[in-house]
Amino acid sequence: MTDALPIHLRFASTDPEVVNDRLGQIYPGVDIRTPGDEPVFAFRQEVDGDADLALGRFQFGGYGRARLVLEDRVTVARRRSGTYNWDVDGRRGTDLVVIQPQEDYRAVLEGLTIDSVNLSLSALAETARTVYGDERLQVAFDDPRPVSPGQESYWNATHDFVRQALTDPEIASVPLLRADLLRRMAVATLEVFPLAGDPRARRVSVAARQAGYTRAVEFLHAALSLPITLEDVARHAAMSTIELTRTFRSHAGTTPGAYLRGLRLAAAHRDLLRGDPGAGDTVAAIAVRWGFAYPGDFARRHRAAYGENPGHTLRH
């Protein structure tokens, strides 16, 4: 899970030196240069997220070259418009790319708008070890390019969903929701780019699966109000996320995520029953408190479970 403070940055400049200095605070050693006779230089930057997951949009007007070497994070970048020719340790491409620590990244940019995702190496590794059930797994990618066009589309769709959420201050301010977005983006990155080795989910016995299910349920009830993710539950249950999901389907007929949402919906319902609109309690505030970012979705789930709109429950 993540309890880092949220980031919401906006920056623009027409001075290459100022841009290099600003970007150097995020990417140590970055260097963006334009030819001496290039008259146009304009740069705009937007960053939202936190220390574990930060999504950026960079707009670069003019022609130039960029170079950087990462230290403690993995960056994924995709072109939205313009020209983008990148080289990562001799492997080349023009669109979606993953850059790992200590790799030599160089790019030629022209009229470029690019989306980037920064994942802390520690958060990505923790997710990978839980997803694949291997506590010794070291995250490394065999190639900076996606494994297939279909997987690239999956990454793009996940990115767009996460970006929309992180740019909403009400959502970004809730650690519970940021933790879920971090998991989504980390899993998409692990699945879309070719991991070194061949991680496989652990096989567990029936007895071990039952014990793991019991530990998971106890943990979900105890940590209900915390920004826990599927990885946190799996780690506590000593299972991979794949085995955890299989276990919940066989024991509870649902997924761990759906089970957790049910518990949180029940907690939100209790708060609605105890709430006082005259004292400032609102349906939206109660919903966000329990991890429901979208009022319409919360209202639909509440009606399905309790037969009435949450506003009616709060007023009575």
Side-chain angles (χ1 to χ4, degrees):
M1 78 182 86
T2 178
D3 56 3
L5 295 176
I7 298 169
H8 183 70
L9 300 177
R10 299 294 183 267
F11 168 72
S13 177
T14 57
D15 185 335
E17 295 301 327
V18 172
V19 170
N20 279 317
D21 180 66
R22 181 60 178 264
L23 286 178
Q25 299 174 29
I26 305 174
Y27 304 104
V30 70
D31 185 35
I32 296 180
R33 290 287 176 244
T34 59
D37 58 351
E38 172 62 40
V40 178
F41 182 88
F43 181 84
R44 182 179 299 275
Q45 169 192 5
E46 303 173 5
V47 178
D48 297 278
D50 56 32
D52 286 329
L53 169 65
L55 271 61
R57 177 161 292 172
F58 302 90
Q59 295 175 293
F60 178 80
Y63 173 86
R65 298 177 181 273
R67 181 179 185 183
L68 65 85
V69 177
L70 300 176
E71 293 183 352
D72 58 353
R73 71 192 68 199
V74 168
T75 291
V76 183
R78 72 165 182 181
R79 179 183 65 86
R80 291 186 60 84
S81 62
T83 300
Y84 182 41
N85 295 294
W86 54 259
D87 182 306
V88 178
D89 284 350
R91 289 165 292 185
R92 297 177 176 85
T94 60
D95 209 330
L96 194 65
V97 57
V98 63
I99 312 163
Q100 304 176 79
Q102 309 310 315
E103 288 184 330
D104 185 13
Y105 164 85
R106 303 172 188 237
V108 176
L109 324 170
E110 185 172 6
L112 180 68
T113 299
I114 193 169
D115 287 329
S116 72
V117 172
N118 284 341
L119 289 158
S120 74
L121 196 57
S122 59
L124 188 61
E126 181 176 353
T127 301
R129 289 165 186 166
T130 307
V131 166
Y132 299 113
D134 183 355
E135 289 295 327
R136 298 172 297 176
L137 180 64
Q138 298 296 319
V139 175
F141 298 98
D142 283 333
D143 195 290
R145 294 159 294 203
V147 296
S148 71
Q151 287 294 78
E152 181 173 350
S153 297
Y154 159 57
W155 191 95
N156 287 335
T158 301
H159 168 273
D160 292 345
F161 174 86
V162 172
R163 175 179 168 79
Q164 181 180 17
L166 278 181
T167 53
D168 183 335
E170 290 190 6
I171 295 178
S173 65
V174 181
L176 181 73
L177 300 178
R178 292 207 316 277
D180 179 65
L181 296 174
L182 168 61
R183 177 191 174 273
R184 288 172 182 257
M185 204 72 256
V187 169
T189 300
L190 292 166
E191 292 293 311
V192 169
F193 296 96
L195 276 173
D198 184 25
R200 294 184 175 89
R202 270 190 307 122
R203 301 287 182 184
V204 296
S205 67
V206 174
R209 190 175 289 117
Q210 176 61 55
Y213 174 76
T214 300
R215 289 192 297 269
V217 168
E218 291 174 347
F219 178 72
L220 286 170
H221 281 271
L224 186 60
S225 63
L226 300 177
I228 56 175
T229 66
L230 181 61
E231 282 72 27
D232 295 320
V233 182
R235 188 175 297 276
H236 187 86
M239 290 176 147
S240 71
T241 54
I242 294 173
E243 284 294 342
L244 181 70
T245 299
R246 290 173 180 164
T247 299
F248 266 78
R249 287 195 182 281
S250 64
H251 284 75
T254 187
T255 66
Y259 189 94
L260 178 59
R261 282 192 298 273
L263 292 178
R264 286 174 171 162
L265 184 63
H269 180 69
R270 288 194 296 271
D271 281 359
L272 289 169
L273 290 171
R274 300 167 183 166
D276 180 3
D281 291 327
T282 66
V283 171
I286 291 172
V288 168
R289 181 188 307 157
W290 291 105
F292 297 94
Y294 301 103
D297 177 64
F298 174 68
R300 178 181 61 79
R301 294 179 184 279
H302 189 274
R303 283 195 303 271
Y306 299 102
E308 64 180 14
N309 288 322
H312 185 271
T313 305
L314 179 62
R315 290 191 297 272
H316 294 80

